[in-house]
Amino acid sequence: MIIEDLTVRFGAFTAVDRVTLEIPPGRIVGLVGESGSGKSSLARAVSGLVPYTGRIDGAHNVQMVFQDPYASLDPRMTVGDSVAEGVRGRRDRAGRRAEVDRLLGLVSLPADLAGRYPRELSGGQRQRVAVARALGAAPDLLVADEITSALDVSVQGAVLNLVRSLRDELGLSMLFISHNLAVVRYVSDVVAVMHQGRVVEAGPTGQVVGEPAHDYTRALLEAVPRLTGGLRE
Amino acid sequence: MKPRLPRTPAAVAGAALVAAMVVLAVIGPPIWGATAERIDAAAILQGTSTAHPLGTDSLGRDLLARVLVAGRFSLALALAATLIGGLAGIVLGALPSVLPGRAARLITGAVNALVAFPGLLLAMFTAVVSGLGARGAVLGIGVAIAPGFARLTQTLAATVAGSDYVSAARMLGVSRRRVLTGHVLPNIAEPLILQLTQSLGGALLGLAGMSFLGLGVQPPSFDWGRLLFDGFARIYVTPEVALGPAAAIALAGIGFNLLGDAMAKAAARTAPAGKKRTAAVPPDPGEPDPGAVLEVRGLSVAFPGGATPVRELSLTIAPGEIVGLVGESGSGKSLTAAAIGGLVPYPGTVGYGRLLLGGRDVATLSGKELGTALAMVFQDPMASLNPALRVGGQLAEVAIVHQGAGRAEANRRAVDRLGHVHLPDPAATARQHPHELSGGMRQRAVIAMGLMATPRLIIADEPTTALDVTVQRQILRLLREVTEETGAAALFISHDIAVVGGLCDRVMVMYAGRVVEELPVARLAAEAAHPYTRALIASLPDMDTDRDRPLASIPGRQPAPSDVGPGCAFADRCALATARCAAERPPLISYGEAGRVACWEVK
């Protein structure tokens, strides 16, 4: 799909300013930027949740996975019912049930989780359920908005692995948004850097991370916290 | 788990009154019905007597029997009015979330107008229009109750409609009607049911009021309000004839309101009250370390009900040293900071063998002494700054309260400190309100506030979690600079082991309330020994992670503080775990140079 000249305005404030970005089929495009850079507004525009001007071509069915898995699942609905919401074209109970089992399997969750409520699940499991629900609608594009930032480090790895396996095994196209450059670098094929509503740099991950062309990209790269030293002189 | 009614006197009284009213409604008419209707020409308009404790009416009927019989009718009318009002209100309130924009706005506007209208006036108007009598009164009270319900439903529904799961459902193509019945209504049902119970008391009083005004029940039917209306004319001669129905109305009203309140409280309640547990005080911790700024031995934090989120934690921080405390949410790291600062929220209790700040027991320090020796920086700088006051004034306050400085001297020092944390124009910043500053500038101002005195220890609890990476780096640099300059020690708490590794001198890793490993930061990347520390490092992608291989991840989840068993808390998730790990908790013992680890499998 391709996003062309996309602009999102809230009153007089321009959150996204004439952004053009291509998401090749079966690829993960990572969108990185700081708070207020417009990356979440772009995600919401692509998902059809906020009005925009410009063109979005080649993606009719866009689904989104949200940041907070504690807020994105209805606490009064079982996991199975939540996932079944997205299942299309199967009206009978047994067919839906089988499809829910298949979707839970795709995100490496046991089928018996279908009868549980979200409060019985860990944050990582909830986020997998949210991914399964989105996959049920067979999306052309999955938008993942900071999906690991509310998770503990020990389960973040599993969710990132899932994201990569969905691309490799299902050929899913994805817009992966994060403020964490290390996380974006790990999952993305292409990285786009947003700053003040504009994409200031975009290119293959190795190139953007290895030879950043824009000053802002360099500043972001330098600020990534590193386990070994950096601040101890 | 269903919320249970608390056993407070008010709840018990409410439940008892409502139960009594229900019993009365069931058994009243069959038992006293005949007595209530018996006309006795010989006993007209009497006051209290042994035969008629509450007197008689104009036809000589016994008023006590009439009050007891009227219970069923009064309660039934109140129930009908509440159901009519509740149903109409919920439908009106829910419609805007299903209808298209224009119709939704029209209904919202109508509800807003009705809410502004006095309820009793609305009730009287409806009753008069729809004809005098019980039906009119019930309709009237129902109409009076409806706008409140509509408004509550609307507000609750709007909250649910803004949630991520409703956005997700919309994207999945779920229809508005399905969203309403599947997501919105189930999530707002509980408060609406509570509101219904409370409205029942109000409806009862309202109906009695209508009957009393002559707009309600007409003879020969009678409810409590009607009896009160009849008795009121005689209140100066025989007051007891009005007393009976008045008492019945008051008791029923109080009963329903108390029960409704108790139910609302029970629903709002989250933590179950258990028996009070105090944190255990460990045995004698030995000789204190004279060189340490902070020395903690055997610190525990316990909550009623058996949860102990911090267990036997020991740590020592030397002057100028930054110690990182790292762990996942629920590991007890923030409560450790709170315990050191004396900020553990009620009803938690803190126990320790030793808790020395600058060589003195924290419990013996006055608020002023603790305030100058300890500076705390939290995740949200807005929570530490008063939004209504200028930044400079808030900083000056510290010097005035803790150091007895004059206003001018304090202000001068505030500007100096704001400059010290590299705010570009400290004098201008001092005159600004917190909301005028960016997140990073606010966090600098909070650190400057901590530096108004000369703190021996700075506790920073996730100070950069809410900030952008570029700002995070500046704040971390500032913390480093401040400790080097002032010789203050720092306890830096974070969930991010990379941030801790980048800033601190020494790292302590917490898991399920205990320290599982402690080591100098230089050895963190390559020589961490505990399987949990190693897994944490391996699961964290950095700028050098191999992108062709899957990340490490830890299966399972950290146990809740109340579920920690006798063995190693990490055993369930550990690849190296043996039978011994599940049965016996490994002690925290010395390992390598200046390190400690708690693991049976580390040799």
Side-chain angles (χ1 to χ4, degrees):
Chain A
M1 69 166 285
I2 185 155
I3 300 165
E4 257 182 291
D5 250 357
L6 186 128
T7 299
V8 177
R9 283 200 185 87
F10 299 110
F13 176 68
T14 305
V16 179
D17 191 5
R18 286 183 293 137
V19 163
T20 297
L21 187 64
E22 192 192 351
I23 302 171
R27 295 282 158 183
I28 300 178
V29 174
L31 193 60
V32 71
E34 299 193 303
S35 52
S37 62
K39 57 189 194 306
S40 281
S41 298
L42 179 62
R44 290 187 164 259
V46 171
S47 309
L49 291 175
V50 295
Y52 60 88
T53 56
R55 277 192 335 138
I56 298 176
D57 267 350
H60 303 291
N61 185 353
V62 180
Q63 295 299 328
M64 182 159 159
V65 180
F66 296 84
Q67 172 171 358
D68 184 359
Y70 292 82
S72 64
L73 294 177
D74 187 336
R76 313 237 167 199
M77 243 187 206
T78 61
V79 165
D81 287 343
S82 278
V83 173
E85 275 199 314
V87 175
R88 302 231 169 117
R90 279 172 215 261
R91 295 283 165 211
D92 63 304
R93 187 177 288 265
R96 260 207 309 269
R97 181 73 212 264
E99 179 66 6
V100 167
D101 288 356
R102 186 186 74 86
L103 290 167
L104 289 177
L106 278 181
V107 297
S108 323
L109 286 176
D112 63 1
L113 233 54
R116 307 265 202 94
Y117 284 91
R119 62 172 176 274
E120 302 170 64
L121 272 53
S122 69
Q125 286 175 319
R126 288 176 205 223
Q127 203 58 294
R128 287 161 188 268
V129 172
V131 172
R133 176 178 59 186
L135 291 179
D140 308 320
L141 176 75
L142 189 67
V143 177
D145 187 7
E146 298 273 9
I147 59 167
T148 62
S149 62
L151 301 180
D152 275 316
V153 184
S154 69
V155 294
Q156 168 179 286
V159 172
L160 294 179
N161 289 339
L162 171 68
V163 164
R164 287 162 44 109
S165 75
L166 291 177
R167 173 197 60 190
D168 296 345
E169 286 158 26
L170 305 180
L172 197 63
S173 314
M174 213 181 299
L175 183 61
F176 185 94
I177 295 165
S178 175
H179 67 284
N180 186 330
L181 195 52
V183 166
V184 167
R185 170 190 169 273
Y186 181 70
V187 298
S188 309
D189 303 298
V190 174
V191 172
V193 181
M194 266 192 100
H195 183 51
Q196 292 176 353
R198 291 166 189 256
V199 169
V200 295
E201 181 166 4
T205 303
Q207 182 192 318
V208 172
V209 173
E211 308 145 37
H214 197 277
D215 285 345
Y216 181 70
T217 313
R218 276 195 284 276
L220 270 186
L221 276 167
E222 207 170 282
V224 172
R226 279 160 218 263
L227 199 55
T228 47
L231 291 155
R232 284 180 309 276
E233 273 75 11
Chain B
M1 206 172 65
K2 280 276 166 206
R4 292 193 47 193
L5 277 184
R7 296 192 170 274
T8 59
V12 172
L17 279 172
V18 170
M21 290 300 157
V22 171
V23 170
L24 181 66
V26 174
I27 68 166
I31 295 184
W32 296 289
T35 321
E37 299 294 343
R38 190 185 306 129
I39 296 170
D40 184 355
I44 290 171
L45 296 176
Q46 281 186 352
T48 303
S49 67
T50 37
H52 307 291
L54 291 179
T56 58
D57 69 0
S58 55
L59 291 175
R61 292 175 292 202
D62 180 54
L63 278 173
L64 179 61
R66 287 177 78 77
V67 167
L68 293 172
V69 170
R72 179 187 283 186
F73 196 40
S74 301
L75 291 176
L77 292 183
L79 196 63
T82 308
L83 289 180
I84 290 172
L87 200 67
I90 291 169
V91 168
L92 271 180
L95 273 179
S97 41
V98 202
L99 293 177
R102 189 180 291 261
R105 275 199 298 280
L106 195 72
I107 290 185
T108 309
V111 167
N112 286 345
L114 285 176
V115 165
F117 216 72
L120 202 57
L121 220 57
L122 209 59
M124 285 161 67
F125 177 75
T126 315
V128 169
V129 167
S130 58
L132 290 184
R135 203 176 47 138
V138 165
L139 267 180
I141 295 295
V143 166
I145 291 175
F149 264 99
R151 169 53 74 76
L152 182 70
T153 309
Q154 233 171 51
T155 312
L156 291 169
T159 313
V160 176
S163 66
D164 284 349
Y165 55 84
V166 170
S167 296
R170 293 246 164 91
M171 276 190 285
L172 291 167
V174 178
S175 69
R176 278 168 172 273
R177 198 178 52 77
R178 288 267 312 154
V179 167
L180 181 68
T181 54
H183 290 294
V184 178
L185 288 180
N187 279 296
I188 66 175
E190 199 169 282
L192 286 178
I193 290 168
L194 292 174
Q195 177 75 6
L196 272 176
T197 315
Q198 281 176 323
S199 297
L200 204 55
L204 195 87
L205 296 179
L207 279 164
M210 299 282 280
S211 290
F212 180 71
L213 293 172
L215 293 171
V217 176
Q218 302 297 325
S221 303
F222 58 100
D223 70 342
W224 287 332
R226 186 73 216 178
L227 292 176
L228 186 63
F229 175 69
D230 292 340
F232 195 68
R234 298 157 57 195
I235 196 153
Y236 295 112
V237 189
T238 49
E240 58 273 19
V241 299
L243 205 66
I249 292 166
L251 284 177
I254 291 172
F256 281 110
N257 276 317
L258 285 180
L259 185 69
D261 274 351
M263 280 168 71
K265 283 207 184 94
R269 218 178 160 82
T270 46
K275 63 175 196 293
K276 195 169 164 66
R277 255 180 62 145
T278 41
V281 175
D284 178 51
E287 285 301 302
D289 180 347
V293 171
L294 177 73
E295 192 182 4
V296 180
R297 290 286 170 272
L299 177 77
S300 292
V301 179
F303 281 85
T308 312
V310 179
R311 295 163 184 242
E312 294 162 40
L313 180 130
S314 295
L315 70 95
T316 307
I317 310 183
E321 189 183 29
I322 303 183
V323 172
L325 195 57
V326 68
E328 297 180 86
S329 51
S331 62
K333 55 191 193 305
S334 287
L335 268 176
T336 302
I340 295 169
L343 298 174
V344 170
Y346 179 83
T349 51
V350 179
Y352 53 82
R354 178 180 295 149
L355 181 46
L356 299 181
L357 180 57
R360 292 180 58 193
D361 191 325
V362 169
T364 67
L365 293 175
S366 67
K368 200 179 210 177
E369 286 170 320
L370 191 62
T372 46
L374 177 66
M376 294 194 81
V377 183
F378 296 101
Q379 176 171 341
D380 178 11
M382 258 334 233
S384 310
L385 295 169
N386 184 335
L389 300 178
R390 290 175 204 283
V391 174
Q394 297 189 53
L395 265 67
E397 194 74 23
V398 178
I400 294 168
V401 171
H402 289 314
Q403 293 150 315
R407 173 66 64 182
E409 162 64 18
N411 282 336
R412 200 189 53 72
R413 189 167 166 76
V415 173
D416 174 65
R417 295 290 93 179
L418 287 172
H420 203 79
V421 296
H422 307 304
L423 281 165
D425 186 353
T429 307
R431 286 192 299 274
Q432 284 177 310
H433 285 93
H435 68 87
E436 296 174 78
L437 308 180
S438 68
M441 286 166 84
R442 277 182 215 145
Q443 202 59 294
R444 283 170 192 272
V446 171
I447 293 173
M449 193 190 267
L451 295 178
M452 285 300 287
T454 42
R456 306 287 307 273
L457 176 69
I458 300 168
I459 296 181
D461 187 359
E462 303 267 8
T464 60
T465 306
L467 303 176
D468 284 323
V469 277
T470 47
V471 184
Q472 162 171 285
R473 190 176 166 78
Q474 296 161 7
I475 296 292
L476 296 179
R477 276 221 175 101
L478 177 64
L479 276 174
R480 186 85 224 172
E481 202 180 292
V482 164
T483 51
E484 272 166 12
E485 250 179 48
T486 62
L491 181 61
F492 183 88
I493 294 161
S494 178
H495 69 285
D496 189 337
I497 202 167
V499 172
V500 168
L503 170 76
C504 301
D505 302 307
R506 202 145 49 83
V507 180
M508 304 180 75
V509 182
M510 273 187 94
Y511 187 78
R514 290 179 193 275
V515 172
V516 294
E517 182 161 19
E518 175 182 351
L519 76 170
V521 82
R523 290 175 37 209
L524 180 62
E527 294 172 57
H530 198 284
Y532 177 63
T533 316
R534 290 216 304 267
L536 264 190
I537 294 168
S539 61
L540 182 84
D542 62 20
M543 298 311 287
D544 309 310
T545 306
D546 185 350
R547 296 174 57 218
D548 298 324
R549 293 175 48 190
L551 282 172
S553 72
I554 314 176
R557 63 203 281 194
Q558 180 176 247
S562 50
D563 298 340
V564 177
C568 173
F570 188 60
D572 290 349
R573 306 172 74 185
C574 183
L576 307 177
T578 61
R580 188 187 189 189
C581 298
E584 205 182 332
R585 184 168 49 79
L588 189 63
I589 51 167
S590 286
Y591 180 79
E593 193 198 334
R596 293 190 295 165
V597 68
C599 179
W600 292 123
E601 294 303 305
V602 174
K603 299 291 186 319

